[in-house]
């Protein structure tokens, strides 16, 4: 086990892309749920 | 051969006993104690604790090329089968109704995955990236996802990751309240959020798991088995014509797989693999992940409040970690402590189930990055 502090900085891009990706996917799902609600009514 | 030599087998095991094995007995005993006395995830920690004792005996026949636990490991864990089958049961247990009647709550599920990625970055300072990602996924607060991702990424720290994931899930009522209190004022914790239930059609409930599978499968194909099995379980529940299958999945199937899962993971908890400094670090990083997941959800709610007329109680953001239903209950209880008339249960449970979806998607993202 080595201590490589710079790896934190190098891998921050994964954090940005990962969080952005989750928000996009959840956004698409939210849109789909609203769409289903409109399409299929409330009952 | 003398009589004494013939009786060698009686004490040969005592001679071969190593202090590390005794430490593992203590760890196994502690897991059993926590399961029984503190009722912390007993369905998993008890088999895990007992299995730990079983595999840490000199020349244990439970492991090895023909040992039953090793055979089970290769048959059900190494190929991810057990966690995936367990997901069918979990999917059948979840009612997505609260989140379907207020879909915006899903955003909190996304925000509360922050701890996964932040912990992954921190862990990458100490571990290779595949192990760091597997450690970060402890923050998914979702045992099967953690196991599945760790196996797919080939992490050698699977036992420690699993112990951390399940232990901290059980400790959510202890971990989350101090973090929430640190990040919110009393006034914020007292914000009321009237629950306005919306009628969700049966067709929507049936189509929801199919839509999620399609969306998640298109975005993160590597995670399709994770999402698909979870959503298949939910489809069984919601379709209305497979009630007996749904009940079987929720109870018999989930219980059966959990027994094997705990015992089989224990096959990896041999002293030489587990008693290493990395294990302590992984346990610490797992806690770190849970703390930052909670913080991510709460801070996101506070951020949204900057733009909203009708303010949200920022505590509900903390329920976005997928420890279901503990996290939702913690938030509800904290709301009642501040104001006995402040009922946040439906909102927090809605956020909690959306966290379940988001954590699986986060697992898929990580697999997409590193596979």
């Amino acid at each position: 086990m080595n201590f490589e502090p710079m790896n934190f900085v190098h891998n921050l891009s994964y954090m940005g892309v990962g969080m952005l990706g989750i928000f996009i996917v959840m956004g698409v799902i939210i849109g789909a749920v609203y769409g289903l609600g409109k399409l299929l009514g409330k009952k | 051969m003398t009589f004494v030599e013939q009786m060698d087998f009686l004490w040969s095991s005592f001679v071969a006993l190593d202090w590390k094995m005794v430490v593992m007995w203590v760890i196994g005993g502690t897991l059993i104690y926590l399961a029984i006395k503190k009722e912390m995830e007993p369905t998993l920690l008890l088999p895990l604790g007992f299995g730990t004792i079983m595999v840490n005996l000199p020349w244990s026949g439970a492991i090895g090329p023909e040992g039953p636990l090793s055979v089970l490991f290769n048959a059900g864990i190494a190929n991810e089968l057990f966690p995936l089958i367990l997901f069918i049961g979990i999917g059948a247990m979840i009612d997505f109704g609260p989140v379907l009647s207020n879909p915006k709550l899903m955003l909190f599920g996304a925000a509360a995955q922050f701890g996964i990625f932040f912990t992954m970055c921190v862990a990458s300072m100490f571990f290779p990236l595949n192990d760091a990602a597997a450690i970060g996924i402890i923050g998914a607060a979702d045992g099967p996802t953690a196991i599945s991702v760790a196996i797919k990424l080939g992490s050698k720290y699977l036992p420690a990751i699993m112990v951390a994931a399940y232990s901290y899930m059980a400790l959510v009522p202890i971990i989350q309240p101090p973090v929430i209190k640190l990040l919110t004022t009393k006034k914020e914790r007292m914000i009321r959020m009237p629950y306005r239930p919306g009628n969700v059609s049966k067709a929507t409930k049936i189509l929801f798991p199919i839509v999620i599978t399609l969306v998640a499968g298109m975005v993160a194909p590597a995670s399709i088995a994770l999402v698909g099995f979870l959503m298949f379980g939910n489809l069984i529940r919601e379709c209305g014509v497979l009630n007996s299958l749904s009940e079987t999945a929720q109870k018999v199937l989930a219980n059966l797989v959990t027994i094997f899962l705990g015992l089989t993971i224990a096959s990896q908890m041999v002293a030489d693999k587990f008693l290493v400094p990395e294990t302590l670090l992984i346990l610490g990083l797992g806690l770190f992940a849970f703390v930052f997941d909670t913080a991510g959800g709460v801070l996101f709610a506070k951020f949204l409040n900057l733009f909203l007329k009708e303010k949200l109680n920022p505590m509900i953001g903390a329920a976005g970690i997928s420890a279901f239903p503990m996290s939702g209950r913690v938030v509800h209880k904290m709301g009642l402590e501040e104001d006995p008339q402040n009922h946040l249960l439906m909102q927090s449970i809605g956020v909690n189930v959306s966290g379940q979806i988001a954590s699986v998607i986060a697992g898929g993202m990580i697999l997409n990055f590193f596979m």
Side-chain angles (χ1 to χ4, degrees), chain A:
Chain A
M1 187 169 61
N2 300 320
F3 181 59
E4 303 278 355
M6 283 315 289
N7 282 355
F8 177 82
V9 180
H10 294 152
N11 293 318
L12 279 177
S13 60
Y14 287 117
M15 186 170 84
V17 175
M19 287 306 292
L20 183 66
I22 291 179
F23 272 103
I24 290 172
V25 174
M26 295 306 266
V28 171
I29 292 171
I30 291 169
V33 172
Y34 276 119
L36 282 176
K38 290 233 173 187
L39 204 68
L40 301 168
K42 296 281 181 184
K43 279 275 171 177

Side-chain angles (χ1 to χ4, degrees), chain B residues 100-184:
Chain B
L100 287 175
S101 65
N102 189 1
K104 282 177 286 189
L105 294 178
M106 286 191 203
L107 288 174
F108 296 106
Q113 308 309 314
F114 173 70
I116 295 176
F117 294 100
F118 191 54
T119 304
M120 183 188 82
C121 292
V122 174
S124 70
M125 295 192 289
F126 307 96
F127 296 94
L129 206 45
N130 68 319
D131 287 322
I135 292 164
I137 207 72
I138 294 171
D142 178 354
T145 302
I147 295 168
S148 201
V149 170
I151 292 167
K152 273 202 168 174
L153 294 179
S155 174
K156 59 186 174 192
Y157 300 111
L158 176 65
I161 288 169
M162 189 186 164
V163 169
Y166 278 98
S167 307
Y168 292 138
M169 269 166 65
L171 289 172
V172 156
I174 297 168
I175 296 170
Q176 286 204 302
V179 182
I180 295 170
K181 283 192 174 175
L182 189 73
L183 296 172
T184 54

Side-chain angles (χ1 to χ4, degrees), chain B residues 54-321:
Chain B
M54 234 187 342
V55 301
N56 284 288
L57 291 160
W59 305 302
S60 171
I63 49 174
E66 291 178 4
L69 292 187
S70 300
V71 172
L72 273 173
F73 183 86
N74 291 328
I77 302 281
N79 56 15
E80 301 167 65
L81 199 59
F82 288 168
L84 289 176
I85 293 175
L86 186 56
F87 255 1
I88 296 178
I90 295 172
M93 290 177 205
I94 297 178
D95 174 13
F96 285 111
V99 79
L100 287 175
S101 65
N102 189 1
K104 282 177 286 189
L105 294 178
M106 286 191 203
L107 288 174
F108 296 106
Q113 308 309 314
F114 173 70
I116 295 176
F117 294 100
F118 191 54
T119 304
M120 183 188 82
C121 292
V122 174
S124 70
M125 295 192 289
F126 307 96
F127 296 94
L129 206 45
N130 68 319
D131 287 322
I135 292 164
I137 207 72
I138 294 171
D142 178 354
T145 302
I147 295 168
S148 201
V149 170
I151 292 167
K152 273 202 168 174
L153 294 179
S155 174
K156 59 186 174 192
Y157 300 111
L158 176 65
I161 288 169
M162 189 186 164
V163 169
Y166 278 98
S167 307
Y168 292 138
M169 269 166 65
L171 289 172
V172 156
I174 297 168
I175 296 170
Q176 286 204 302
V179 182
I180 295 170
K181 283 192 174 175
L182 189 73
L183 296 172
T184 54
T185 62
K186 187 174 177 64
K187 195 178 162 191
E188 285 173 326
R189 294 195 293 274
M190 289 177 74
I191 293 175
R192 291 187 181 183
M193 290 177 64
Y195 179 59
R196 301 182 189 95
N199 287 329
V200 180
S201 67
K202 188 180 174 188
T204 303
K205 285 191 169 183
I206 291 172
L207 286 174
F208 180 70
I210 299 170
V211 169
I212 297 269
T213 306
L214 285 171
V215 173
M218 294 303 287
V219 176
S223 74
I224 191 59
L226 277 174
V227 179
F229 276 63
L230 183 75
M231 290 300 145
F232 173 65
N234 191 250
L235 185 58
I236 291 176
R237 174 198 174 96
E238 299 296 349
C239 70
V241 292
L242 294 172
N243 288 343
S244 65
L245 282 194
S246 171
E247 277 182 27
T248 304
Q250 290 180 45
K251 293 172 185 166
V252 181
L253 182 68
N255 286 342
L256 199 62
V257 177
T258 305
I259 289 173
F260 286 130
L261 196 67
L263 268 180
T264 311
I265 289 285
S267 70
Q268 302 297 297
M269 289 189 65
V270 285
D272 288 339
K273 280 189 193 173
F274 195 80
L275 290 181
V276 291
E278 286 89 337
T279 299
L280 271 182
L281 188 56
I282 290 167
L283 293 177
L285 286 166
L287 178 62
F288 187 83
F290 270 64
V291 167
F292 277 88
D293 275 346
T294 307
V298 172
L299 292 175
F300 182 69
K302 287 177 69 126
F303 173 71
L304 287 185
N305 272 347
L306 296 175
F307 310 99
L308 294 174
K309 269 188 183 175
E310 193 177 340
K311 303 292 180 196
L312 300 163
N313 188 317
M315 290 197 297
I316 66 160
I321 72 169

Side-chain angles (χ1 to χ4, degrees), chain B residues 314-332:
Chain B
M315 290 197 297
I316 66 160
I321 72 169
S322 93
F324 179 82
M326 292 85 80
S327 188
R329 285 186 188 151
V330 164
V331 170
H332 172 60

